[in-house]
Amino acid sequence: MKKIGIVGHGYVGKAYNKVFPEAVIYDEPLQIGNREAINLCDMVIVSVPTEPLPDGSLNMSIVEDVVNWIEAPLILIKSALMPGTVDRLVEKTGKNIAVSIEYAGMGKYYVPPQYPDPEDPTKHQMIVIGGEEETATKCAELLWEKMSPTVRIYLNTALEVEIGKLVENTYPAIKVTFINCLFNLAKKSGANFIRLHQGWTADPRVDGMHLRTTSNKRGWKSHCWDKDIPALKKYARDVGANDMYELINKIIELNKKHLKD
């Protein structure tokens, strides 16, 4: 049996401790475990914080520090990353590093079973892993052993997965911003928002997830969204994707207004 290590025992780390109950745990701030034990593992899952910097980008310093000292043959990063990070670290260290989109959430609200379980990755219906093909494949195999045999596995480039993770948190925010705008339209026009909402979302082409707002809970506010959405905005500006930059900038502006409504 392969030995799995987990570095970072926060929300995501604890979720993957459910996937790998026998995992070796290391969390420096919590004073759990030691580096020597981690370096005896076959694969190490990295789930450390990547908090926002003043310019909107995510702070990669903890991820980089952890990757530098890990000596395990496989490193799978579950933290949200600035696009380009894995390729840069592979070139710098020569290590086998992959990155995977994480669907565990912190919303603390009911999620229907057709969507990714916010607390238990073993129930997720897909695995998305990016990196060099051999590295990504080996990481996928170790996760697949603990998940349903019917899970869908997508092997992409590291860059595609890094962007995809930021999109995963930005797209639902666009939906929340839209529904808050619709709420205001209903209010201004004298329409009943619930009747309008229910009639419109009866269309099977409309996915109702993230399309809810109430008069006493407007806009979106989320630890992950609040850091990953500006990060995608920053990346879009850096690569010259001006339309994406303008779109994200607008939903951030509108959300600030909705939170005050």
Side-chain angles (χ1 to χ4, degrees), residues 31-95:
Q31 299 181 328
I32 300 174
N34 60 78
R35 296 183 179 185
E36 290 75 16
I38 288 292
N39 283 330
L40 294 175
C41 294
D42 298 289
M43 180 178 76
V44 175
I45 297 172
V46 176
S47 55
V48 297
T50 54
E51 297 302 324
L53 294 169
D55 67 353
S57 60
L58 299 174
N59 188 340
M60 298 291 96
S61 62
I62 301 178
V63 168
E64 293 188 23
D65 176 65
V66 167
V67 166
N68 282 335
W69 63 256
I70 290 177
E71 297 174 1
L74 288 175
I75 299 173
L76 178 61
I77 301 176
K78 279 289 184 176
S79 308
L81 303 176
M82 288 304 295
T85 298
V86 166
D87 289 341
R88 177 170 55 81
L89 290 175
V90 168
E91 183 176 0
K92 176 185 175 183
T93 67
K95 297 179 179 180

Side-chain angles (χ1 to χ4, degrees), residues 49-52 106 169 221-228:
T50 54
E51 297 302 324
M106 301 171 66
N169 280 329
K221 188 169 181 60
S222 155
H223 172 78
C224 293
W225 292 14
D226 289 345
K227 70 183 185 68
D228 290 356

